[in-house]
Amino acid sequence: MSISANSKRLKKFEKIKNSSNHSINSPYQQNIKTRCFMSLMLSCIGDAIGAALENKDPNEIANMWPRDSTYPIIPIWTDDTQMTLGIIQSFLNIKTIKGEEIRKCWLQLADCDLLSEYAEIPSRYQYGLFRGTGSNFRQYLKDGNSANSAGNGASIRITAIVIASVLQDNFKLLEYLFESGRQTHNTILGLVPSVGLGFLCYIWLKDNNNKYLQMSCSGLLSKIAKYVMLAEDQLLSSKNIYISDSHVKSCYSKFLVELSSKAESWELSNNNKPFSNVNQSIELFQLLSSEILNFCSKYSKTEIKNINDGYAPASTTTAILLSICFRNFKPISVLKYAFLFGGDTDSVGAMVGAALGAWCGSYKSKIKLPDNIEPIHFNQFKKICENFIDSVFNNNNNSNDIDIDNTTH
């Protein structure tokens, strides 16, 4: 999407630009468990709000979400959150992340036989059982086949995966991301964008010395690119189905390196100023996101309509850029802006919410959480997440001080 095509949408965001009411100070010395909790909360909220706005144009979204309203119509979460719930239960069952257990829990969730102790069963959804592809998805789970696609599925559920590995090193994070991602995707471009987003959440959750929370955009993109390159190399060296993807070897990590270089040039020309106002954030986001469709057109077999399209290299990259460029702003304001691009808004909302929750976790008192998100009372969802986080921390004897950089030199 060209910069000029964004201009009208960006003007809408000007109305919610930086002010004392929409700005959050930089987080220092936060509690990692609180960040984990808010990452799950905001991922669910982003998914639920985005579901109501999916594939709508900016005018429709503006009408559905008035400026004086915290949320649009009653939020209702989708399969994005449901799959996260399945991963949470799988960890509670075996205290680790294994693809077979994840699939088992997804099947139980689809059959309304999971998490029944938490009020209304989460899978009782207005469209019938498991949201999304419904019976087709349930049949796919039973068949045990991964999709030959590069959709958003691996990225939308990374929150629980990252939290499960937050006290582990980077190798365990990658192992867990692959265990989850391979349940739905068998292509490199279906997996590695989720690795990039997962790594961003991971380093923000673990950062207690402010190294990554306040790192420049170019620095973060460079770090993410190195980690994604590690993932690409592992997938291609495993001599399995991914070897057929050798023509796209390292293409996504190289794209992230290009974005990092562009960001660095912008930062130098702007005297490395922090994102103290929304105009700077918009300018950098415009510059970087304008490259997304060009990249995707080289590898996608179908037309990518916008940067929030259901193609992982598009919408996951958009989520990464939104989270980095607008990290100093109130999450709900960032979600409003993200949704103005239309497309797969529930997935983008889940991804952006996950990252921003990891960044600004200790400010949960300043973030209004809804009383209810269908199909269960939101307090019940909080309880599920709290039990999961407690289990992760009680189950792990590792220190929080593991070197985040140990696989990215």
Side-chain angles (χ1 to χ4, degrees), residues 192-346:
V192 294
S194 69
V195 171
L197 179 65
F199 185 65
L200 175 64
C201 293
Y202 176 83
I203 60 177
W204 277 353
L205 284 174
K206 291 177 72 74
D207 186 12
N208 282 325
N209 60 15
N210 208 41
K211 178 178 179 181
Y212 296 104
L213 292 170
Q214 293 302 318
M215 180 175 278
S216 67
C217 178
S218 61
L220 284 170
L221 287 172
S222 177
K223 278 289 179 189
I224 294 169
K226 290 178 183 178
Y227 195 67
V228 168
M229 189 175 296
L230 172 70
E232 291 168 336
D233 289 344
Q234 284 200 18
L235 288 172
L236 286 170
S237 65
S238 60
K239 295 183 180 180
N240 57 17
I241 52 178
Y242 298 98
I243 201 66
S244 63
D245 270 355
S246 58
H247 66 290
V248 299
K249 174 177 170 56
S250 300
C251 71
Y252 188 66
S253 60
K254 289 177 181 176
F255 175 52
L256 292 175
V257 169
E258 292 172 4
L259 293 181
S260 175
S261 178
K262 274 183 165 291
E264 184 177 22
S265 296
W266 182 91
E267 289 159 357
L268 289 173
S269 66
N270 285 272
N271 299 316
N272 294 308
K273 292 180 180 178
F275 300 115
S276 58
N277 65 67
V278 74
N279 292 323
Q280 289 179 321
S281 297
I282 288 175
E283 183 179 331
L284 181 56
F285 177 75
Q286 279 185 310
L287 174 70
L288 301 179
S289 63
S290 65
E291 300 295 324
I292 291 176
L293 294 186
N294 291 333
F295 171 79
C296 293
S297 65
K298 300 176 184 177
Y299 300 101
S300 175
K301 296 179 181 179
T302 59
E303 180 186 2
I304 306 302
K305 298 178 181 179
N306 59 57
I307 60 174
N308 279 358
D309 199 286
Y311 185 57
S315 49
T316 305
T317 308
T318 298
I320 291 172
L321 296 178
L322 284 165
S323 302
I324 293 174
C325 292
F326 295 100
R327 69 188 110 154
N328 284 311
F329 301 92
K330 212 169 185 178
I332 298 301
S333 297
V334 182
L335 288 172
K336 277 189 176 184
Y337 176 54
F339 295 155
L340 291 176
F341 296 95
D344 193 4
T345 48
D346 57 322

Side-chain angles (χ1 to χ4, degrees), residues 64-216:
M64 294 176 68
W65 195 347
R67 287 186 60 199
D68 58 352
S69 173
T70 304
Y71 297 103
I73 61 176
I74 297 176
I76 303 177
W77 70 36
T78 74
D79 53 320
D80 299 12
T81 300
Q82 286 176 311
M83 284 194 282
T84 296
L85 284 169
I87 292 171
I88 286 175
Q89 186 62 56
S90 76
F91 184 90
L92 292 173
N93 289 347
I94 62 174
K95 308 306 180 188
T96 189
I97 296 294
K98 292 294 182 182
E100 298 83 358
E101 188 68 19
I102 290 173
R103 186 178 291 268
K104 171 186 170 184
C105 288
W106 282 345
L107 279 167
Q108 289 178 309
L109 186 61
D111 291 334
C112 294
D113 189 29
L114 187 68
L115 301 169
S116 57
E117 66 270 31
Y118 295 103
E120 179 72 14
I121 299 173
S123 56
R124 291 195 187 282
Y125 190 78
Q126 63 190 32
Y127 292 111
L129 299 179
F130 207 103
R131 172 76 200 281
T133 50
S135 60
N136 290 336
F137 187 82
R138 293 196 298 278
Q139 187 61 50
Y140 143 77
L141 287 173
K142 292 175 182 177
D143 291 343
N145 297 322
S146 297
N148 183 23
S149 72
N152 291 324
S155 298
I156 57 181
R157 57 181 187 265
I158 56 96
T159 323
I161 298 297
V162 174
I163 291 171
S165 62
V166 74
L167 299 182
Q168 306 278 355
D169 61 24
N170 288 339
F171 290 112
K172 183 60 69 173
L173 169 66
L174 193 56
E175 175 190 324
Y176 283 0
L177 287 168
F178 283 168
E179 285 287 335
S180 170
R182 284 169 168 154
Q183 301 312 304
T184 50
H185 293 75
N186 63 13
T187 64
I188 287 179
L189 286 179
L191 278 176
V192 294
S194 69
V195 171
L197 179 65
F199 185 65
L200 175 64
C201 293
Y202 176 83
I203 60 177
W204 277 353
L205 284 174
K206 291 177 72 74
D207 186 12
N208 282 325
N209 60 15
N210 208 41
K211 178 178 179 181
Y212 296 104
L213 292 170
Q214 293 302 318
M215 180 175 278
S216 67

